[in-house]
Amino acid sequence: MSNYIIAPSILSANFARLGDEVNDVLTAGADWIHFDVMDNHYVPNLTIGPMVCAALRKEGIKAPIDVHLMVEPVDSLVEPFAKAGASSISFHPEASKHVHRTIMLIKEQGCKVGLVLNPGTALSVLDPVLSLLDLVLVMSVDPGFGGQSFIPESINKIKQVRTLIDNSGYEIRLEVDGGITPANVGAIAKAGADTFVAGSAIFSAQDYTDVIAEFRRALA
Ligand code: DX5
Ligand code: ZN
């Protein structure tokens, strides 16, 4: 069992049959379910909230649900998502007035906590809070939509975050989100990522087992 996590983003799933889609990717070998929350304010798109997360838990989904909040403000949604069964909650520092307070709030609610770096966000935001984090999520596209192309400069950023994490000695996952396919996941892993979000590459595939196997082969 490798230490690599594959987290399909349900943003690209068929929402009309979401429970089946989630069960299908998990049966096909996915590790986590990546849950993109957009508010038409922090990002120019609107998706799903805590009720949908709770519905997946009620449907019997046991896998970790990796909530990616692209909302502003952040704090008021933390408790609803924790109650709805989120395993981890990641947020964008630009969207919270008090980044440390939001981190502590997520931890108090018993969830793992992640900070998300947009392509235009400097790494320095990690310095004061790195020791508190369970994951760093590097966006390799600008947030808001599935199906965008991987921004090549992200590779350099992933390498830099890898070095920061290794030097810190903390156990922090390095997750990457946006434009990931079986063709580029190897290079992304080589740069230091260990957790891979993929939306369109997985949900547009004919066969989820085949495409996840393709990801695993590229990571082997
Ligand atoms: C973008 C979302 C991503 C998105 C990834 O704002 O955070 O999780 O769904 O989709 P793909 O893999 O299609 O780039
Ligand atoms: Zn995401």
Side-chain angles (χ1 to χ4, degrees):
M1 179 83 190
S2 85
N3 192 32
Y4 291 134
I5 299 277
I6 296 178
S9 160
I10 56 173
L11 186 61
S12 297
N14 178 352
F15 279 116
R17 40 185 303 277
L18 189 58
D20 291 343
E21 288 273 76
V22 168
N23 274 314
D24 289 351
V25 283
L26 290 171
T27 304
D31 302 296
W32 294 0
I33 295 301
H34 185 78
F35 193 106
D36 285 308
V37 185
M38 304 185 185
D39 67 349
N40 191 37
H41 172 73
Y42 178 67
V43 290
N45 200 355
L46 185 65
T47 59
I48 44 178
M51 285 168 67
V52 175
C53 184
L56 290 176
R57 288 301 187 209
K58 205 170 161 210
E59 190 67 13
I61 304 298
K62 298 279 189 294
I65 297 181
D66 176 39
V67 173
H68 175 190
L69 293 181
M70 288 161 273
V71 303
E72 181 180 359
V74 180
D75 293 3
S76 52
L77 279 176
V78 169
E79 193 184 336
F81 266 107
K83 286 211 159 75
S87 309
S88 52
I89 300 180
S90 300
F91 69 98
H92 291 249
E94 298 88 349
S96 171
K97 279 210 175 94
H98 307 283
V99 170
H100 180 270
R101 173 174 288 149
T102 304
I103 289 172
M104 297 316 285
L105 194 59
I106 294 170
K107 289 166 87 80
E108 276 158 24
Q109 289 295 319
C111 295
K112 295 201 153 117
V113 58
L115 208 58
V116 192
L117 303 179
N118 280 336
T121 305
L123 291 189
S124 54
V125 70
L126 293 173
D127 289 346
V129 295
L130 193 66
S131 66
L132 300 169
L133 299 178
D134 298 293
L135 61 98
V136 173
L137 175 48
V138 174
M139 291 304 296
S140 40
V141 298
D142 280 298
F145 302 95
Q148 304 181 81
S149 299
F150 184 88
I151 297 173
E153 289 75 19
S154 312
I155 290 289
N156 202 26
K157 194 170 210 175
I158 295 161
K159 286 183 186 162
Q160 289 174 311
V161 176
R162 179 80 266 159
T163 303
L164 267 183
I165 292 175
D166 287 350
N167 290 345
S168 79
Y170 297 114
E171 235 184 82
I172 301 170
R173 297 207 74 92
L174 203 179
E175 184 173 22
V176 179
D177 183 2
I180 302 184
T181 68
N184 63 18
V185 74
I188 298 165
K190 198 162 165 246
D194 54 39
T195 303
F196 309 91
V197 176
S200 48
I202 290 177
F203 284 102
S204 70
Q206 287 298 320
D207 186 309
Y208 298 159
T209 305
D210 286 352
V211 72
I212 289 173
E214 229 187 298
F215 271 98
R216 299 256 185 236
R217 271 198 300 279
L219 288 168

